[in-house]
Amino acid sequence: MENYIAWIKEKYGSKIKIEAIGNHYLERNSVYKIDDKKIVKFYSEDRTWEREIKALNFINEKSELYPQIIDNSGEDEIRWIEFSILKGSIYKDIEQEIAENLKSSFYYEMGIKHAQLHKMNELDQYYDWATSSSSYKEYNSYREFETDKNRRRGLVALKKANDINKDLLNNAYAKMLEKELLLDCCKKFSICHNDYSERNIIVNIDNKDLRITGIIDFELSYPSSIESDVSRTLFAIYFSEYKEDYLKGYKSIIKLNGNFDKLLDYYLLAMGLEVCSWSYDKDKSYYDYALKILHVVTKR
């Protein structure tokens, strides 16, 4: 972190105001607000830097909801992007201050904005456009594309499982494999955010009216099935009382696959195993959250 601060001062001047924001404890990326005028984000992996640039370059001309890229590192050894600042506050940061009667409408609008992102960026293909990723390769079908990464991450989770959670994770992995054929019915593809949740949505409150003014953090983004992206959001809000408000908002714009309920279980299992593959030492509360979802889904 100290190296990044020194880098920022060298680039922007020693007298600037620097504020660390984001989840630095995860040791993935480091994000800083500079003089309340711009954001600079440093990336621990080339692939997340590459995804964010490609996603925002693809969608930026279609909406003002997304941050503009002002500059980036190019071929520099340190990977960084300088963004414009979107006005407002991250919803998760001010959630406790928001009146209950506004929360339902927020989640409904959250669903609408997610569907609009998908509708504006429809594609006839799926791929991880981070060619710098060590796992990058071309696939013959969406099912192969999806199952390859989910099996790989699932096996890591099983390898790391302790005696208490081993049976649950083995059961979740087996059920995930049983449901893989469902992926053949996925036919709608778009730019997927892959981390669309309250912590990446910026809102503005004016005269007791709450509206979404920005969507950030596209480092996991790439073209994929819209059902996979919706499922990732539902994983994030699975136990929220406003989950159905989000779905109603989304479905008011886009009709989901007729097999979505079954697909959702597949994606919840895959996402739960993915989280368990890395989070035990870095974010134990998130690990326990994933176990809780896996417990519910494997009982169905």
Side-chain angles (χ1 to χ4, degrees):
M1 184 178 294
E2 291 181 1
N3 290 338
Y4 292 145
I5 297 293
W7 184 97
I8 290 171
K9 289 183 177 180
E10 183 178 348
K11 180 175 175 62
Y12 301 103
S14 59
K15 296 182 179 180
I16 59 169
K17 176 185 174 184
I18 303 173
E19 179 185 355
I21 58 177
N23 299 316
H24 290 202
Y25 69 93
L26 292 176
E27 299 178 353
R28 289 182 174 177
N29 305 305
S30 297
V31 189
Y32 301 90
K33 185 186 294 185
I34 312 297
D35 280 341
D36 295 324
K37 294 179 179 179
K38 62 190 74 175
I39 300 290
V40 177
K41 182 174 181 179
F42 297 91
Y43 297 78
S44 61
E45 297 180 340
D46 287 353
R47 59 183 176 179
T48 54
W49 172 84
E50 185 179 0
R51 286 178 188 139
E52 189 128 40
I53 288 177
K54 289 183 176 179
L56 291 177
N57 283 342
F58 191 94
I59 67 178
N60 255 336
E61 295 182 358
K62 302 176 183 179
S63 173
E64 295 180 353
L65 279 177
Y66 315 110
Q68 300 290 318
I69 295 177
I70 300 171
D71 195 7
N72 70 83
S73 56
E75 298 303 316
D76 291 355
E77 185 175 347
I78 297 177
R79 296 298 199 190
W80 56 270
I81 300 176
E82 178 185 328
F83 300 99
S84 61
I85 285 186
L86 298 174
K87 293 183 179 181
S89 303
I90 293 175
Y91 179 86
K92 202 67 176 176
D93 291 346
I94 62 169
E95 185 176 22
Q96 301 303 318
E97 306 168 18
I98 297 173
E100 289 299 319
N101 64 318
L102 294 178
K103 291 182 178 180
S104 178
S105 60
F106 162 76
Y107 281 89
Y108 186 82
E109 187 184 4
M110 176 180 167
I112 288 175
K113 291 292 189 284
H114 200 184
Q116 289 173 341
L117 169 66
H118 289 160
K119 195 164 187 177
M120 287 189 298
N121 300 285
E122 292 177 343
L123 295 164
D124 59 1
Q125 54 189 326
Y126 47 85
Y127 58 99
D128 186 350
W129 50 23
T131 55
S132 58
S133 173
S134 60
S135 60
Y136 176 82
K137 67 178 185 178
E138 296 182 1
Y139 295 91
N140 295 316
S141 68
Y142 174 70
R143 172 156 50 108
E144 183 185 354
F145 167 74
E146 191 69 23
T147 57
D148 180 60
K149 61 184 174 65
N150 291 334
R151 288 184 183 188
R152 186 172 64 249
R153 292 165 177 170
L155 290 173
V156 173
L158 296 186
K159 187 176 180 179
K160 293 183 176 181
N162 56 38
D163 290 340
I164 297 174
N165 302 318
K166 192 171 184 178
D167 288 345
L168 173 59
L169 294 180
N170 276 316
N171 192 17
Y173 186 81
K175 284 186 174 293
M176 182 183 74
L177 297 186
E178 290 174 5
K179 297 177 182 296
E180 288 180 343
L181 289 177
L182 288 166
L183 296 170
D184 289 337
C185 72
C186 294
K187 303 298 183 183
K188 290 183 179 181
F189 306 106
S190 177
I191 302 302
C192 292
H193 186 285
N194 291 326
D195 194 13
Y196 186 82
S197 65
E198 308 102 313
R199 63 191 179 93
N200 288 321
I201 297 176
I202 295 176
V203 297
N204 186 50
I205 301 178
D206 183 27
N207 294 325
K208 298 184 179 179
D209 178 44
L210 184 149
R211 58 189 181 85
I212 293 175
T213 56
I215 299 167
I216 60 172
D217 202 356
F218 282 80
E219 66 180 60
L220 301 179
S221 179
Y222 52 77
S224 190
S225 158
I226 64 170
E227 285 85 10
S228 70
D229 208 21
V230 171
S231 296
R232 281 182 171 271
T233 298
L234 290 174
F235 183 92
I237 62 173
Y238 194 73
F239 300 107
S240 168
E241 62 184 296
Y242 303 106
K243 180 172 66 174
E244 291 303 319
D245 294 305
Y246 159 78
L247 271 176
K248 288 177 183 177
Y250 189 93
K251 291 177 181 179
S252 71
I253 305 295
I254 294 179
K255 182 179 180 180
L256 288 167
N257 191 298
N259 287 317
F260 179 68
D261 288 343
K262 295 178 180 178
L263 280 167
L264 175 60
D265 277 358
Y266 170 82
Y267 287 121
L268 290 174
L269 291 167
M271 184 66 181
L273 289 166
E274 176 188 338
V275 171
C276 289
S277 73
W278 64 265
S279 63
Y280 186 85
D281 295 323
K282 292 187 176 182
D283 191 344
K284 183 60 165 54
S285 63
Y286 197 30
Y287 182 88
D288 292 339
Y289 177 84
L291 289 180
K292 189 176 179 181
I293 290 179
L294 290 177
H295 181 78
V296 171
V297 179
T298 54
K299 292 296 183 182
R300 287 206 272 262

